[in-house]
């Protein structure tokens, strides 16, 4: 998306039919950093301003990180008005995959190596 003449790239953007809102997802292959919240908040504000219809609910932001310090996350989220969630992807993704898919997908270590 273009904002003020600069290009920005949302990792994933969905529309949740039951919640009637957009969902912005940012994926980070590193541990949580407080600046990620500001980036996600900006994306939510732009989606709310440009894409959201008057009957839609506010855009939800989800930040998936490799690891997080819960105390740092809570202080980083303090004061923001947009609904934002922060989750660790490493353990959640592995636990949620069905056994028959685990062997056909690359391991987390292979993905991390590729991202480097």
């Amino acid at each position: 998306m273009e904002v003020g003449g600069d290009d920005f790239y949302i990792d994933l953007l969905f529309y949740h039919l039951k919640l009637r809102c957009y969902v912005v997802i940012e994926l980070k292959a590193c541990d949580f950093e407080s600046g990620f919240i500001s980036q996600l908040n900006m994306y939510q504000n732009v989606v709310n301003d440009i894409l959201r219809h008057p009957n839609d609910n506010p855009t939800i932001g989800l930040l998936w990180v490799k690891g997080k310090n819960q105390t740092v996350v809570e202080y980083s989220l303090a004061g923001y008005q947009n609904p934002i969630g922060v989750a660790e992807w490493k353990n959640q993704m592995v636990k949620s995959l069905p056994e028959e898919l685990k062997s056909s997908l690359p391991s987390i270590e292979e993905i991390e190596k590729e991202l480097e």
Side-chain angles (χ1 to χ4, degrees):
M1 64 187 169
E2 184 178 317
V3 178
D6 293 332
D7 291 329
F8 296 91
Y9 301 92
I10 295 173
D11 289 337
L12 299 169
L13 177 63
F14 296 99
Y15 187 84
H16 195 292
L17 293 173
K18 288 186 180 181
L19 295 178
R20 308 285 306 161
C21 69
Y22 285 95
V23 179
V24 174
I25 300 175
E26 279 298 300
L27 307 170
K28 302 296 183 185
C30 59
D31 288 341
F32 176 84
E33 296 176 18
S34 59
F36 296 157
I37 298 297
S38 179
Q39 176 188 21
L40 182 56
N41 187 65
M42 184 194 78
Y43 291 167
Q44 288 175 270
N45 289 334
V46 172
V47 169
N48 282 335
D49 188 50
I50 295 174
L51 299 176
R52 184 176 147 207
H53 293 190
N55 293 335
D56 288 340
N57 289 311
T59 300
I60 295 171
L62 299 175
L63 175 62
W64 280 4
V65 295
K66 183 176 177 182
K68 65 179 181 175
N69 177 317
Q70 188 62 33
T71 304
V72 174
V73 170
E74 289 175 14
Y75 277 116
S76 299
L77 288 171
Y80 281 96
Q81 300 299 312
N82 287 324
I84 298 175
V86 178
E88 293 177 315
W89 57 264
K90 187 172 183 176
N91 294 330
Q92 297 298 323
M93 287 179 60
V94 172
K95 289 179 186 174
S96 65
L97 286 177
E99 286 301 321
E100 63 270 11
L101 292 179
K102 286 182 182 178
S103 61
S104 62
L105 295 172
S107 69
I108 290 174
E109 291 76 20
E110 292 170 327
I111 294 171
E112 287 175 340
K113 184 177 180 183
E114 188 69 28
L115 291 173
E116 290 174 356

